[in-house]
């Protein structure tokens, strides 16, 4: 009964959408096996077949307007997409390309004529498309893309061209085999003047599957993982498309070649266009967290039944999960997965709120910027967590975990790229920190190092600011918990939520104010602004990470407070394990900065051990509550061990 209540709580308001996907995955349980057994092209075609079945079920349309066959349920759409990560990740990524990126570009960057002409076909799978942003020479730096789209007044067409090898569109999902149209991001040139990156719809294949004139398509070939996704390269040679191909929500070009935009500032216009596509980051972060759930479900079930060694003289070997070190390896990762799940749930609800407001004409730029930062940070931590968790689970299952039949190898390969697509994680944390350092209204769009350094230098960032900001935090910490090595009870208050959030907030604000001071000092000394920022970059990224750690922690706190009574005590133990393990991981910093005494540091480690022991009896219930379909976790090493 507790497992059912926990699963219902984890599924939240979008349980129905998640259950639809679970049922679909169970009905096609052989796909994970086919990924290993089938030749690549056959595997890709099988993934496409299941993608089209998914479209027929109506799930991909859930997040789109009702007039185009959708349900206007953004939260349910994201929840369903995340749940696809319980199954074959090639199917999930291909769905993301088609229904998230390609159809999303049409919806968010296009206007009514584009919606009427393309949207229903895109979300039904009748029009298979690509999202052609990344180039060989430019990945994260989208603003410097080399592809051009030049307006020809004489014919009323845009001429899309790849001027150099570095401008080749690279790693484009759906391009190598199935895509017929691409949403192409290119430098828009009108009347000899460049207006920055815009998006156009460009046909790339005919009905017969052959590349259209002027379009060269090639296959990226075998990859570390996700070989069911046909990633390809696209080169354009003076390809002409009609003026209406420009997705013109934020910029228009009339027949006479006059360029207009409701957003005058080109930087602001660029970041507004990119901001509409934040759904990709929201989705990838959630999918990575769900992939972690699959790995942990397999590894914990295996550890709960596999025996190895034992006490001298004993006739029975010891269950792996009863070893302290095995608990230490797996259970804090399980706790962090719960923490990230609740942080992701908050993000999805905020995403749906912000975009629903936008559709209703209530756009709020500050909310948009905050959402983009939250999505960037959660995606970074969620995907890094998946990489770590799956690797640890593989090791914890020994040689059995290395066999493809037990699925961890495929999970490891398929999720590895998550840390770099939809934004390299290091770049994303830099974005988070810059958002915290700058005032959105004054620096909107100024996310380059030069703009950030100049903005910070213009502020009155003094040591007094840090002291004023941190003094209340320090006092609260002192009030909550004694911080002296000779404290009569070094364990006092270690399970106090206010103490946890106080420590993490102290670290975040200390780091941010330190970055600000360093930037200002460098600029005041007359150093080059770019060099000043570059010297502080590691500090900037650490500050961004500290911020997201605190946001995740506080999301978990809120989830525990709101949990049903039936599951609240267990969930609080899992929360405490996550909180104290997070603090323990940074205890060197806290010791350096006088926020932990050696005695309290040791007490935290001892309490993490105690919490691992407390959570261990419920470990199977906790992974069962994820609701991963049996077909995804009933791998031979678990089933055989049970037998």
């Amino acid at each position: 009964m507790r497992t059912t209540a926990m699963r219902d709580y984890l599924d939240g308001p979008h349980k129905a959408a998640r259950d639809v996907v679970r049922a679909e995955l169970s009905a096609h349980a052989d796909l994970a096996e086919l990924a290993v057994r089938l030749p690549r092209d056959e595997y890709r075609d099988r993934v496409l077949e299941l993608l089209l079945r998914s479209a027929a079920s109506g799930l991909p349309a859930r997040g789109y307007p009702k007039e185009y066959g959708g349900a206007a349920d953004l939260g349910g759409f994201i929840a369903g997409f995340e749940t696809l990560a319980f199954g074959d990740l090639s199917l999930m990524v291909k769905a993301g390309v088609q229904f998230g990126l390609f159809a999303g570009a049409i919806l968010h960057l296009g206007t009514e004529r584009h919606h009427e002409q393309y949207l229903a076909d895109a979300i039904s799978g009748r029009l298979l498309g690509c999202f052609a942003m990344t180039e060989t020479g430019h990945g994260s730096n989208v603003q410097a893309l080399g592809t051009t789209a030049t307006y020809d007044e004489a014919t009323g067409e845009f001429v899309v061209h790849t001027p150099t090898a570095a401008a080749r569109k690279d790693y484009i999902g759906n391009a190598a085999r199935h895509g017929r149209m691409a949403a192409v991001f290119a430098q828009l040139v009108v009347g000899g003047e460049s207006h920055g990156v815009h998006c156009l719809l460009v046909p790339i294949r005919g009905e017969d599957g052959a590349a259209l004139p002027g379009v060269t398509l090639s296959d990226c070939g075998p990859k570390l993982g996700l070989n069911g996704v046909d990633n390809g390269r696209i080169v354009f040679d003076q390809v002409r498309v009609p003026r209406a191909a420009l997705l013109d929500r934020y910029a228009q070009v009339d027949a006479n070649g006059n360029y207009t935009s409701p957003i005058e500032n080109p930087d602001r216009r660029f970041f507004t266009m990119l901001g509409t596509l934040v759904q990709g980051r929201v989705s990838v972060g959630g999918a990575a967290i769900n992939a972690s759930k699959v790995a942990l479900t397999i590894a914990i079930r295996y550890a709960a039944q596999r025996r190895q060694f034992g006490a001298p003289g004993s006739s029975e070997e010891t269950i792996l999960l009863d070893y302290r070190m095995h608990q230490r390896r797996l259970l804090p990762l399980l706790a962090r997965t719960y923490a990230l799940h609740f942080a992701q749930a908050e993000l999805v609800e905020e995403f749906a709120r912000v975009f629903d407001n936008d559709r209703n004409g209530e756009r709020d730029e500050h909310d948009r910027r905050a959402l983009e930062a939250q999505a960037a940070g959660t995606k970074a931590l969620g995907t890094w967590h998946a990489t770590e968790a799956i690797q640890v689970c593989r090791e914890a299952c020994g040689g059995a975990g290395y066999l493809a039949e037990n699925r961890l190898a495929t999970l490891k390969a398929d999720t590895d790229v998550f840390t770099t697509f939809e934004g390299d994680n290091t770049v994303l944390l830099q974005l988070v920190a810059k958002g915290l350092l700058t005032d959105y209204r004054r620096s909107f769009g100024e996310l380059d190092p030069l703009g950030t350094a100049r903005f910070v230098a213009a502020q009155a960032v003094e040591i007094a600011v840090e002291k004023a900001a941190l003094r209340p935090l320090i006092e609260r910490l002192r009030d909550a918990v004694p911080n002296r090595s000779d404290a009569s009870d070094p364990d006092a208050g270690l399970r106090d939520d206010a103490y946890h959030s106080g420590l993490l907030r102290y670290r975040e604000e200390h780091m941010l104010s330190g970055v600000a001071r360093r930037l200002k000092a460098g600029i005041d000394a007359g150093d080059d602004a770019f060099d000043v920022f570059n010297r502080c970059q590691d500090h900037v990224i650490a500050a961004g990470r500290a911020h997201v750690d605190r946001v995740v922690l506080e999301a978990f706190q809120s989830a525990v407070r709101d949990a049903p009574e039936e599951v609240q005590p267990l969930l609080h133990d899992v929360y405490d394990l996550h909180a104290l393990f997070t603090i323990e991981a940074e205890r060197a910093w806290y010791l350096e900065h006088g926020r932990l005494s050696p005695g309290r540091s040791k007490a935290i480690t001892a309490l993490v051990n105690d919490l691992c022991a407390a959570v261990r009896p419920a470990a199977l219930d906790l992974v069962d509550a994820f609701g991963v379909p049996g077909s995804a976790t009933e791998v031979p090493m678990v089933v055989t061990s049970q037998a």
Side-chain angles (χ1 to χ4, degrees):
M1 181 65 73
R2 181 174 64 177
T3 300
T4 301
M6 187 74 83
R7 180 184 299 186
D8 289 344
Y9 188 52
L10 290 174
D11 280 350
H14 307 298
K15 177 177 173 55
R18 298 182 196 276
D19 283 343
V20 167
V21 177
R22 287 185 177 113
E24 284 289 314
L25 293 176
S26 295
H28 304 289
D30 65 332
L31 188 57
E33 179 186 349
L34 298 180
V36 178
R37 183 164 54 83
L38 286 180
R40 189 171 74 246
D41 284 346
E42 291 183 35
Y43 175 35
R44 289 173 171 179
D45 290 345
R46 176 67 170 148
V47 169
L48 174 62
E49 177 189 337
L50 292 181
L51 179 87
L52 296 178
R53 287 189 185 182
S54 172
S57 74
L59 184 67
R62 185 182 290 267
Y64 286 86
K66 294 179 180 179
E67 56 265 37
Y68 304 110
D73 177 13
L74 284 171
F77 175 81
I78 299 288
F81 178 83
E82 292 171 355
T83 308
L84 277 175
F86 287 157
D88 181 85
L89 290 172
S90 284
L91 174 60
M92 183 213 73
V93 170
K94 195 171 181 74
V97 170
Q98 175 67 29
F99 306 121
L101 296 176
F102 176 63
I106 295 171
L107 175 65
H108 297 301
L109 299 180
T111 46
E112 188 173 351
R113 59 179 174 178
H114 302 109
H115 300 165
E116 292 288 346
Q117 186 172 357
Y118 299 113
L119 203 51
D121 286 344
I123 61 179
S124 68
R126 291 189 296 271
L127 174 62
L128 296 173
C130 311
F131 187 79
M133 177 182 282
T134 300
E135 294 181 355
T136 303
H138 287 98
S140 297
N141 189 6
V142 178
Q143 208 162 8
L145 294 178
T147 303
T148 57
T150 305
Y151 185 64
D152 183 348
E153 291 182 39
T155 62
E157 297 171 312
F158 286 103
V159 182
V160 180
H161 187 60
T162 305
T164 66
R168 176 187 64 186
K169 295 297 180 183
D170 210 348
Y171 217 85
I172 308 302
N174 265 356
R177 191 168 178 85
H178 298 136
R180 289 175 40 219
M181 178 174 280
V184 178
F185 288 79
Q187 302 288 347
L188 195 72
V189 181
V190 182
E193 181 182 355
S194 177
H195 295 279
V197 173
H198 292 64
C199 187
L200 303 91
L201 295 178
V202 182
I204 59 172
R205 274 192 181 84
E207 294 288 345
D208 60 356
L212 293 173
V215 179
T216 300
L217 302 172
S218 57
D219 198 317
C220 289
K223 307 184 292 288
L224 175 63
L226 298 176
N227 283 300
V229 182
D230 53 324
N231 292 98
R233 302 181 174 105
I234 311 175
V235 174
F236 301 101
D237 183 10
Q238 308 292 338
V239 174
R240 290 179 172 269
V241 294
R243 181 169 58 90
L246 175 67
L247 296 177
D248 58 352
R249 179 178 181 183
Y250 296 107
Q252 301 79 40
V253 176
D254 68 18
N256 297 320
N258 297 309
Y259 176 92
T260 56
S261 172
I263 306 173
E264 293 185 9
N265 183 293
D267 285 331
R268 181 178 177 183
R269 182 168 59 245
F270 171 74
F271 285 106
T272 298
M273 287 191 287
L274 284 196
T276 63
L277 306 175
V278 70
Q279 178 176 311
R281 285 177 185 161
V282 175
S283 300
V284 168
I289 295 163
N290 273 6
S292 304
K293 295 174 185 176
V294 178
L296 284 161
T297 299
I298 293 171
I300 287 174
R301 286 179 179 172
Y302 181 72
Q305 60 194 38
R306 177 78 155 89
R307 293 179 179 273
Q308 192 75 274
F309 303 109
S314 172
S315 62
E316 190 173 45
E317 293 184 294
T318 300
I319 290 175
L320 287 180
L321 200 53
D322 288 338
Y323 284 106
R324 170 58 49 79
M325 194 59 217
H326 216 77
Q327 294 172 6
R328 267 276 187 170
R329 295 168 86 179
L330 294 176
L331 299 185
L333 290 173
L334 176 61
R336 191 195 301 163
T337 302
Y338 266 77
L340 287 165
H341 172 95
F342 291 119
Q344 173 71 8
E346 282 193 357
L347 173 62
V348 169
E349 294 312 303
E350 181 65 5
F351 169 81
R353 184 189 70 80
V354 169
F355 274 73
D356 283 343
N357 285 348
D358 190 28
R359 286 178 180 177
N360 296 328
E362 301 170 7
R363 185 183 181 91
D364 185 305
E365 297 298 349
H366 182 273
D367 282 355
R368 280 289 187 131
R369 301 283 78 76
L371 173 65
E372 289 162 23
Q374 187 181 358
T378 305
K379 185 266 180 184
L381 263 63
T383 55
W384 269 329
H385 169 68
T387 297
E388 178 186 0
I390 293 167
Q391 176 63 26
V392 170
C393 288
R394 206 293 299 158
E395 293 180 24
C397 293
Y402 197 66
L403 296 176
E405 67 181 10
N406 288 320
R407 206 173 171 213
L408 294 173
T410 304
L411 275 174
K412 179 178 167 64
D414 285 350
T415 58
D416 193 73
V417 74
F418 284 20
T419 60
T420 50
F421 78 1
E422 286 301 322
D424 178 278
N425 284 355
T426 300
V427 175
L428 293 182
L429 285 186
Q430 187 169 281
L431 183 153
V432 171
K434 286 172 179 176
L436 297 168
L437 284 165
T438 57
D439 179 277
Y440 288 120
R441 289 174 301 164
R442 295 184 55 186
S443 62
F444 186 75
E446 295 288 344
L447 294 180
D448 59 286
L450 183 63
T452 301
R454 284 177 175 167
F455 178 79
V456 172
Q459 309 304 297
V461 182
E462 304 291 350
I463 295 177
V465 173
E466 179 187 4
K467 287 183 177 178
L470 297 183
R471 187 178 297 114
L473 269 175
I474 294 170
E475 294 305 318
R476 286 201 299 273
L477 288 173
R478 286 175 177 165
D479 290 343
V481 181
N483 195 33
R484 305 184 305 277
S485 59
D486 61 348
S488 59
D489 182 6
D491 293 348
L494 285 182
R495 297 189 69 169
D496 188 307
D497 293 0
Y499 177 60
H500 304 152
S501 55
L503 276 179
L504 267 64
R505 189 175 289 274
Y506 175 88
R507 184 166 184 263
E508 173 191 350
E509 295 192 10
H510 190 286
M511 284 187 163
L512 286 170
S513 59
V515 170
R517 288 201 310 275
R518 287 182 65 187
L519 290 170
K520 184 175 188 299
I523 296 298
D524 287 349
D527 295 343
D528 177 77
F530 186 90
D531 288 341
V532 170
F533 187 87
N534 195 39
R535 291 199 299 265
C536 298
Q537 193 174 33
D538 59 332
H539 196 162
V540 168
I541 291 166
R545 174 68 186 253
H547 168 74
V548 185
D549 280 340
R550 193 262 305 165
V551 169
V552 170
L553 179 101
E554 292 182 352
F556 203 169
Q557 288 178 345
S558 296
V560 173
R561 286 195 298 269
D562 295 340
E565 285 186 25
E566 187 176 357
V567 302
Q568 197 170 55
L570 173 58
L571 202 56
H572 205 289
D573 282 346
V574 178
Y575 160 78
D576 283 339
L577 176 56
H578 168 71
L580 290 168
F581 187 74
T582 301
I583 294 166
E584 183 189 41
E586 302 295 343
R587 60 181 173 172
W589 189 93
Y590 289 114
L591 284 162
E592 285 177 354
H593 292 79
R595 302 308 338 131
L596 281 182
S597 68
R600 290 188 65 71
S601 177
K602 293 176 183 177
I604 286 173
T605 294
L607 186 50
V608 169
N609 287 340
D610 291 345
L611 286 164
C612 283
V615 169
R616 188 269 179 256
L620 288 175
D621 289 343
L622 288 167
V623 295
D624 288 350
F626 291 147
V628 182
S631 57
T633 57
E634 291 170 357
V635 295
M637 68 175 174
V638 174
V639 174
T640 302
S641 296
Q642 287 175 337

